[in-house]
Amino acid sequence: MKYYLAIDLGASKTRIAVCSKDSIIEKIVETTPKQGDEYAIARFIWEAAIKHFPEYIENIEAVGVASIGPLDIKRGVAVNPTNLPFKEIKLLEPLTKYFKARVIVANDAVAAAWGEKNYGLGKPFRNLIYLTLSTGIGAGVIVDNHLLIGKEGNAHEVGHIVIDFNSELECGCGGRGHWEAFAGGINIPKVAKWLASKHGINSDLLEFLVNHPEATAKDVFEYYRRGDRLGVLVVDLYVKASRAGIASIINTYDPELLVIGGGVFLNNQDILFEKMISGLENDVVTSMPIIKPTGFGDDVGLYGALALAVNPPRELVEVQGI
């Protein structure tokens, strides 16, 4: 029997799964390496696969990689990823050498869109967007059944839509006023401190952030759930920023379906979903699409990577010369 390896490379965690043609058989979740050379992550993936899936390695038909971006899509290399300390992360060339199998690499959100199209909510639709609200913000876009790629493979970096051109908030990429600066998970503690300073707020959340420099978006949302005044302001700004970003991508791509995933969203779906889409139609010039959370949960990137491996999109095959 032939198997497929699906890899979801994120800034915080890397998920690796052995799959059949249709579903995940076994998976592991590991902390993404933060040190080493440009081959460090490819070696880490190879060594983890050998360690956890030794009985499958000889029968891997193809490998799909859903990777953090931005990408040099032709080379299959992540270049200056916003939330990882590498200038380059080489994936396509070393993984092809290690696994001796066909490898295809795409941005994680692009892969997720392809996964939704092949296995999930997107099956009946020709026009769909997958939006990830996680450590960063990104999207994958399919228009008239064509997966959008772009000249360098980055026709989906919606997190860098400018939603406030007068903003003081700096994005991880160095730009100001980007959607990701307001709502990227890695930036949420910084947003909280900025709001506290701007409005002269003292609260339990601010005290926690001052005393815990390693605090994350999870902590901020926890204080929101406790009714903390600063936490409420942060989430309110998150919702407004995301509503603006979502309206922008709907107006730009005219999808039939918008699927939302990503760790920050999925872990706080009960807070965010209805708030983000409420009143959205007032800022949309086309007809509203269907908007739903992904049905795959945290595995959406793995199903995207599996779809790349099993049914590689023509647009990527042409670019990567597979």
Side-chain angles (χ1 to χ4, degrees):
M1 181 175 175
K2 295 296 182 180
Y3 299 97
Y4 299 86
L5 197 70
I7 300 158
D8 179 11
L9 171 61
S12 303
K13 300 291 183 181
T14 297
R15 293 173 168 81
I16 305 173
V18 168
C19 308
S20 68
K21 198 172 183 179
D22 303 305
S23 62
I24 294 169
I25 298 172
E26 294 183 31
K27 67 177 179 180
I28 59 170
V29 181
E30 302 280 352
T31 299
T32 302
K34 301 294 192 299
Q35 295 180 331
D37 62 13
E38 64 267 36
Y39 293 101
I41 287 182
R43 285 195 299 269
F44 151 75
I45 290 169
W46 167 243
E47 290 167 1
I50 288 178
K51 177 181 177 180
H52 294 280
F53 312 125
E55 67 272 31
Y56 297 101
I57 295 298
E58 294 299 320
N59 293 305
I60 297 295
E61 178 77 6
V63 179
V65 184
S67 172
I68 188 173
L71 292 176
D72 177 337
I73 199 67
K74 291 180 182 178
R75 295 192 296 140
V77 175
V79 180
N80 292 316
T82 305
N83 300 312
L84 279 176
F86 297 94
K87 289 186 177 180
E88 287 195 341
I89 300 172
K90 294 188 177 181
L91 296 166
L92 181 60
E93 176 259 321
L95 291 177
T96 300
K97 177 182 175 182
Y98 290 148
F99 288 100
K100 297 180 175 60
R102 183 183 75 234
V103 177
I104 189 162
V105 179
N107 170 275
D108 49 4
V110 170
W114 196 240
E116 291 287 354
K117 174 66 177 171
N118 281 268
Y119 297 114
L121 297 170
K123 282 183 180 180
F125 300 103
R126 291 172 54 85
N127 298 278
L128 65 105
I129 297 172
Y130 172 81
L131 170 66
T132 178
L133 301 174
S134 190
T135 303
I137 294 174
V141 184
I142 296 173
V143 176
D144 297 330
N145 278 338
H146 293 287
L147 184 67
L148 299 191
I149 302 299
K151 71 183 189 305
E152 294 177 350
N154 298 307
H156 49 261
E157 290 286 352
V158 301
H160 304 287
I161 290 172
V162 177
I163 61 171
D164 183 356
F165 61 82
N166 285 322
S167 177
E168 304 166 10
L169 281 177
E170 185 174 315
C171 184
C173 70
R176 292 184 182 275
H178 294 186
W179 181 5
E180 189 169 299
F182 290 90
I186 198 168
N187 294 320
I188 289 176
K190 181 173 70 174
V191 172
K193 292 177 183 176
W194 173 72
L195 284 172
S197 175
K198 183 177 181 180
H199 297 286
I201 295 172
N202 287 311
S203 76
D204 291 342
L205 171 57
L206 180 60
E207 183 178 349
F208 180 84
L209 293 173
V210 169
N211 293 322
H212 297 82
E214 76 287 356
T216 67
K218 180 180 179 181
D219 299 309
V220 175
F221 276 92
E222 177 59 34
Y223 275 88
Y224 168 87
R225 292 178 187 277
R226 299 178 192 177
D228 183 273
R229 181 185 173 199
L230 179 57
V232 170
L233 281 180
V234 175
V235 172
D236 181 60
L237 184 60
Y238 183 103
V239 166
K240 289 177 179 176
S242 295
R243 191 184 295 133
I246 290 169
S248 295
I249 61 177
I250 292 173
N251 288 332
T252 301
Y253 297 116
D254 194 23
E256 300 162 84
L257 172 71
L258 171 64
V259 182
I260 307 177
V264 172
F265 172 75
L266 293 173
N267 292 331
N268 300 286
Q269 184 178 325
D270 59 319
I271 296 170
L272 297 174
F273 184 62
E274 294 298 332
K275 291 179 184 295
M276 288 193 308
I277 65 174
S278 177
L280 187 59
E281 66 277 2
N282 297 324
D283 294 319
V284 171
V285 297
T286 183
S287 61
M288 284 288 290
I290 298 166
I291 304 177
K292 290 185 176 181
T294 180
F296 291 129
D298 290 338
D299 288 336
V300 64
L302 287 176
Y303 274 96
L306 176 60
L308 294 177
V310 174
N311 182 28
R314 174 176 57 83
E315 294 82 0
L316 279 177
V317 169
E318 291 174 356
V319 170
Q320 295 183 356
I322 299 167

